[in-house]
């Protein structure tokens, strides 16, 4: 017992607490602290070894260099279903590939009223420039309005139901009918034949001089419209492949006695770049063109003094020199798959004066190939440096960036050329005039094309669901009400329904076999019947209202539309059609209609069902 008491007295229990830990310097002199003295030299040597600073390396700086470049240019363009043509650098490649015709007619109804009125106003503006007498000018305008009139739709005519179903469309047509001119009809008349003149059938232009002046204005009118909107020369763009919902084209550049052919067969992104093209060594030359192709192959040897690459925020080689604060590397959040961004960070954070720049200016549409680089350093040594990606194209460990892939699996040398496509750097895209979703409906075991946005005749668009309800309601107005007899009474408590209906903006696609195949299938556009209450006639087919899904319907002999099944994935497919606009390097503005394909929002449910049983509803007397 005594032993325990002594132990407690010898080691009493204590509790120690701190509320702040801080240094208390005993002097105000900080000179020694700022010297950054190294107390442990062995630690510094170990740190240098850990960072690889003891690895032997020739660190001689380059003082003189020569680079040998071989360049050529893209001179030919061939859409997948068209003839070979020259590819001028005065037109962006996206414009040439994507341009779609403006739909001036849909389902044999007038469309794009806003552009028609715009063309009519421009024609009257041109007429005002001529020195026509005031009474002659007024009479001529009245005659043009009569000759190229805009018809007023009749709400009582079933053929005008598509125009009169939407109040805003009918109101605009009623406002301009008989008051404004359809400028597109004049343009069509002038383009139909070289013997057609603007003064034809205009009774107020009796003077020969006035007729000649007006006919000369027609050339300016055509030039104005074709510069305002870039349209395909044919009725349809031959690069667009509706069955795949993408563009396919090829372009080539002279390469000695043959051609380097670049192929793009899956372009739908909306912006062209090097990754859209592949080299096809088995592709035959694209053929001859009517235009004279200049000699674009050149070999250039450039002598220069290498200059180091500097950028804001780069690590500085001096100990107390702070980097520029405009670049915040901590704000960069790359994903693990962002290889380019990770390499940029690696370059910016680990290297300071190890990179040098070789300036070499290329015109758009060029293909450049570095034949070699000769570098002389400060020790007088000369090195011949080849491209980093040299070697076999099948070598998976080959360093490769911004270079084209070679199709096939043959062991061929890699292509290290750099393609500078004549592509627009930035585009302005309007709201979609048409937009559809292609989705799978597993409940109904079908594929549907859902028209999310449909074009109206005025040039505006409307949600497909609202437009479908308004059009069906308009057709229902033409069905006179009929007094239906009461069904026979029975003791059954349920009723049987063979099939129900779906909204009219849901266009079905059914599977059909490929020709000469009993296994592979493709999707064919079908149609649902339009069920109107009290209609004694056979139901008519519901036709799509977008030009995307009306493929083949508006031709003189309607054709079916087939779609490859793999184009409709589980996530669905979204296709948009909208006006695009860009400004080219020479200042010219290009406006065209382009297509875009993107991933959808997943599967959908149309509500279509067969063989259903419902509780019987009680019938009330009449």
């Amino acid at each position: 017992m005594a032993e325990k008491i002594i132990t407690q007295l010898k080691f009493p229990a204590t509790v120690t607490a701190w509320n702040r830990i801080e240094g208390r310097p005993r002097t105000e002199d900080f000179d020694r602290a700022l010297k950054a003295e190294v107390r442990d030299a062995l630690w510094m040597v170990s740190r240098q070894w850990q960072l690889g600073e003891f690895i032997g390396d020739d660190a001689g700086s380059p003082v003189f260099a020569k680079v040998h470049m071989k360049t050529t240019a893209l001179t030919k363009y061939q859409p997948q279903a068209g003839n070979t043509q020259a590819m001028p650098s005065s037109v962006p490649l996206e414009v040439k590939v994507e341009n779609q015709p403006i739909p001036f007619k849909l389902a044999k109804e007038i469309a794009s009223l806003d552009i028609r009125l715009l063309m009519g106003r421009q024609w009257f503006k041109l007429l005002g420039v001529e020195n026509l007498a005031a009474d002659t000018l007024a009479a001529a305008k009245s005659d043009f309005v009569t000759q190229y009139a805009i018809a007023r739709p009749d709400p009582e005519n079933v053929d005008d139901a598509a125009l009169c179903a939407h109040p805003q469309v009918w109101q605009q047509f009623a406002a301009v009918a008989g008051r404004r001119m359809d400028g597109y009809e004049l343009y069509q008349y002038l383009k139909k034949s070289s013997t057609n003149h603007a003064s034809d059938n205009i009774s107020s232009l009796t003077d020969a001089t006035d007729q000649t002046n007006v006919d000369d204005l027609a050339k300016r009118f055509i030039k104005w419209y074709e510069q305002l909107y870039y349209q395909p020369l044919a009725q349809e763009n031959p690069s667009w492949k509706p069955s795949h919902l993408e563009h396919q084209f090829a372009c080539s550049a002279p390469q000695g006695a043959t051609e380097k052919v670049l192929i793009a067969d899956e372009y739908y992104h909306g912006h062209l770049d090097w990754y859209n093209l592949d080299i096809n060594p088995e592709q035959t030359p694209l053929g001859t063109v009517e235009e004279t192709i200049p000699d674009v192959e050149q070999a250039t040897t450039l002598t220069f003094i290498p200059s180091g690459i500097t950028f804001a925020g780069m690590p500085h080689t001096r100990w107390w020199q702070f980097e520029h604060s405009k670049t915040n590397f901590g704000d960069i959040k790359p994903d693990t798959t962002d290889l380019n961004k990770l390499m940029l960070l690696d370059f910016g954070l680990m290297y300071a004066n190890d990179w040098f720049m070789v300036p070499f200016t290329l015109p758009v549409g060029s293909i450049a190939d570095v034949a070699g680089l000769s570098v002389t350093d400060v020790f007088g040594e000369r090195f011949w440096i080849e491209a980093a990606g040299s070697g076999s194209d099948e070598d998976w460990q080959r360093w490769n960036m911004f270079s084209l892939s070679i199709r096939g699996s043959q062991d061929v040398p890699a292509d290290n050329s750099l393609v500078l496509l004549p592509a627009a750097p930035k585009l302005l895209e309007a709201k979609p005039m048409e937009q559809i979703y292609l989705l799978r409906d597993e409940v109904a075991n079908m594929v549907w094309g859902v028209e999310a946005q449909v074009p109206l005749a005025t040039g505006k668009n409307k949600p497909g669901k609202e437009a479908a309800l308004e059009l069906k309601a308009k057709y229902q107005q033409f069905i006179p009400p009929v007094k239906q007899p009461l069904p026979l009474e029975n003791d059954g408590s349920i009723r049987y329904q063979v099939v129900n209906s779906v909204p009219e903006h849901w266009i079905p696609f059914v599977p059909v076999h490929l020709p000469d195949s009993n296994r592979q299938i493709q999707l064919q556009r079908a149609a649902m019947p339009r069920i109107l209450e009290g209609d004694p006639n056979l139901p008519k087919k519901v036709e799509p209202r977008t030009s995307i899904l009306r493929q083949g319907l508006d031709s003189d002999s309607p054709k079916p539309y087939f779609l490859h099944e793999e184009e409709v994935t589980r996530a669905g497919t979204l296709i948009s059609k909208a006006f695009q606009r860009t400004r080219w390097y020479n200042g010219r503005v290009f406006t065209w209609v382009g297509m875009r394909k993107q991933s959808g929002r997943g599967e959908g449910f149309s509500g279509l069902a067969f063989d259903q049983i419902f509780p019987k509803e009680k019938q009330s007397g009449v």
Side-chain angles (χ1 to χ4, degrees):
M1 184 66 181
E3 188 177 1
K4 292 183 178 180
I5 295 174
I6 292 173
T7 303
Q8 292 178 358
L9 293 175
K10 190 175 181 180
F11 302 101
T14 60
V15 177
T16 304
W18 294 272
N19 61 356
R20 185 171 183 178
I21 300 177
E22 63 180 0
R24 296 182 180 272
R26 300 185 179 182
T27 178
E28 297 180 355
D29 186 7
F30 296 97
D31 293 341
R32 183 178 180 184
L34 293 177
K35 291 181 180 179
E37 296 178 349
V38 179
R39 295 293 183 180
D40 192 347
L42 181 61
W43 180 89
M44 181 63 71
V45 172
S46 301
R47 187 65 174 163
Q48 288 179 287
W49 168 82
Q50 183 182 13
L51 295 178
E53 295 184 9
F54 293 155
I55 299 176
D57 191 10
D58 184 4
S61 300
V63 294
F64 184 77
K66 284 186 177 183
V67 60
H68 188 63
M69 302 283 292
K70 293 182 179 180
T71 60
T72 182
L74 299 171
T75 57
K76 297 180 182 179
Y77 167 78
Q78 182 184 47
Q80 60 93 17
N83 299 324
T84 304
Q85 52 188 278
M87 190 172 70
S89 60
S90 59
V91 179
L93 189 55
E94 290 104 333
V95 180
K96 203 167 189 64
V97 173
E98 297 179 9
N99 63 93
Q100 296 283 338
I102 299 176
F104 284 99
K105 277 195 175 182
L106 281 175
K108 300 180 180 180
E109 294 287 347
I110 185 175
S112 301
L113 180 63
D114 53 349
I115 301 180
R116 292 173 180 267
L117 295 175
L118 173 65
M119 297 174 70
R121 291 195 297 269
Q122 179 65 22
W123 175 248
F124 283 165
K125 185 184 296 185
L126 292 176
L127 284 179
V129 175
E130 286 298 323
N131 295 323
L132 298 177
D135 53 346
T136 303
L137 178 61
K141 289 184 177 181
S142 178
D143 291 341
F144 277 110
V145 170
T146 304
Q147 180 66 25
Y148 305 101
I150 299 175
R152 180 189 180 97
D154 185 5
E156 303 299 328
N157 188 356
V158 68
D159 294 334
D160 294 339
L163 298 178
C164 300
H166 315 294
Q168 64 271 36
V169 176
W170 181 87
Q171 290 172 0
Q172 186 163 350
F173 269 87
V176 300
R179 299 182 178 90
R180 292 293 181 265
M181 169 191 169
D182 189 341
Y184 180 73
E185 289 296 326
L186 172 61
Y187 173 79
Q188 285 287 88
Y189 177 76
L190 296 174
K191 296 289 289 186
K192 188 176 182 180
S193 174
S194 58
T195 60
N196 293 345
H197 301 90
S199 60
D200 295 345
N201 303 319
I202 306 300
S203 59
S204 58
L205 298 176
T206 57
D207 186 71
T209 303
D210 292 343
Q211 293 179 0
T212 302
N213 293 337
V214 171
D215 293 340
D216 291 338
L217 288 178
K219 299 177 182 179
R220 295 173 55 185
F221 175 70
I222 293 175
K223 183 178 179 181
W224 166 83
Y225 171 73
E226 293 179 352
Q227 287 184 346
L228 184 62
Y229 298 105
Y230 195 91
Q231 293 286 280
L233 299 177
Q235 188 175 2
E236 297 290 340
N237 186 352
S239 70
W240 176 253
K241 198 166 185 179
S243 59
H244 289 274
L245 298 173
E246 56 201 14
H247 297 278
Q248 296 184 2
F249 67 95
C251 50
S252 67
Q255 189 178 47
T258 180
E259 295 180 358
K260 175 181 283 190
V261 181
L262 311 180
I263 293 181
D265 54 5
E266 293 183 0
Y267 170 61
Y268 53 84
H269 312 82
H271 176 65
L272 272 170
D273 213 332
W274 58 272
Y275 47 77
N276 296 118
L277 301 171
D278 295 332
I279 298 176
N280 189 357
E282 299 179 356
Q283 176 73 28
T284 58
L286 299 186
T288 59
V289 296
E290 297 180 357
E291 296 84 350
T292 302
I293 297 178
D295 186 11
V296 293
E297 291 188 270
Q298 294 181 358
T300 306
T301 301
L302 180 65
T303 303
F304 62 96
I305 298 176
S307 59
I309 296 179
T310 59
F311 56 90
M314 67 178 295
H316 206 279
T317 56
R318 298 185 61 182
W319 177 264
W320 289 113
Q321 181 71 35
F322 289 95
E323 291 81 6
H324 204 290
S325 61
K326 288 186 177 181
T327 302
N328 184 9
F329 287 101
D331 194 45
I332 302 177
K333 300 177 177 60
D335 197 0
T336 55
T337 58
D338 293 338
L339 179 61
N340 294 340
K341 194 177 293 184
L342 290 171
M343 291 186 65
L344 177 63
L345 285 175
D346 183 67
F347 160 73
L349 295 175
M350 296 183 63
Y351 298 95
N353 57 353
D354 298 338
W355 292 81
F356 294 84
M357 181 174 59
V358 180
F360 193 85
T361 304
L362 290 173
V364 294
S366 300
I367 300 180
D369 193 359
V370 180
L373 177 66
S374 175
V375 179
T376 304
D377 62 9
V378 293
F379 299 111
E381 295 181 308
R382 181 174 296 176
F383 301 92
W384 178 257
I385 302 174
E386 295 183 350
S390 301
S392 174
D393 188 67
E394 296 299 316
D395 185 6
W396 65 275
Q397 292 182 324
R398 179 177 61 90
W399 191 91
N400 183 23
M401 180 176 287
F402 303 114
S403 61
L404 303 177
S405 300
I406 300 178
R407 294 195 176 185
S409 57
Q410 298 180 0
D411 190 8
V412 295
D415 185 277
N416 296 314
S417 58
L418 176 68
V419 179
L420 185 61
L421 292 178
K426 189 174 182 180
L427 304 177
L428 297 177
E429 185 172 358
K431 293 181 179 179
M433 65 171 69
E434 298 180 12
Q435 192 175 68
I436 67 167
Y437 286 97
L438 291 171
L439 50 85
R440 293 182 178 270
D441 182 0
E442 294 297 336
V443 178
N445 195 20
M446 292 182 63
V447 171
W448 298 89
V450 182
E451 297 180 318
Q453 297 288 335
V454 299
L456 300 180
T458 57
K460 304 295 183 181
N461 62 353
K462 197 167 191 175
K465 184 177 181 180
E466 296 181 16
L469 291 175
E470 291 178 353
L471 182 59
K472 185 177 181 180
K474 185 61 181 180
Y475 279 117
Q476 187 65 51
Q477 294 178 4
F478 294 102
I479 306 300
V482 179
K483 183 178 180 181
Q484 299 290 342
L486 293 176
L488 297 176
E489 291 292 338
N490 54 63
D491 297 334
S493 60
I494 59 176
R495 64 182 180 88
Y496 171 71
Q497 181 173 313
V498 179
V499 62
N500 62 355
S501 181
V502 298
E504 290 195 354
H505 66 293
W506 286 60
I507 308 301
F509 282 79
V510 296
V512 295
H513 285 290
L514 288 173
D516 302 327
S517 175
N518 57 359
R519 296 179 61 87
Q520 294 180 317
I521 64 172
Q522 59 184 346
L523 303 173
Q524 181 179 357
R525 179 189 57 209
M528 294 292 292
R530 177 177 284 122
I531 307 298
L532 301 175
E533 295 183 7
D535 188 3
N537 303 317
L538 291 175
K540 294 184 177 181
K541 297 179 181 179
V542 177
E543 295 184 356
R545 302 187 63 180
T546 58
S547 61
I548 303 175
L549 294 182
R550 290 190 63 86
Q551 185 71 30
L553 277 182
D554 295 329
S555 58
D556 296 335
S557 56
K559 301 176 182 178
Y561 174 37
F562 296 98
L563 179 66
H564 286 265
E565 186 189 16
E566 63 269 16
E567 300 301 331
V568 187
T569 61
R570 289 289 180 184
T573 306
L574 170 64
I575 301 99
S576 302
K577 187 175 183 180
F579 279 100
Q580 317 288 327
R581 187 178 186 271
T582 188
R583 185 183 293 276
W584 198 221
Y585 65 86
N586 56 5
R588 180 181 172 185
V589 175
F590 289 89
T591 305
W592 73 100
V593 178
M595 293 276 209
R596 301 287 183 272
K597 183 172 73 171
Q598 301 173 349
S599 296
R601 301 178 180 176
E603 300 179 0
F605 176 53
S606 61
L608 180 65
F610 301 88
D611 301 327
Q612 291 181 297
I613 294 178
F614 297 97
K616 181 181 175 183
E617 298 178 359
K618 294 183 179 181
Q619 299 290 336
S620 59
V622 179

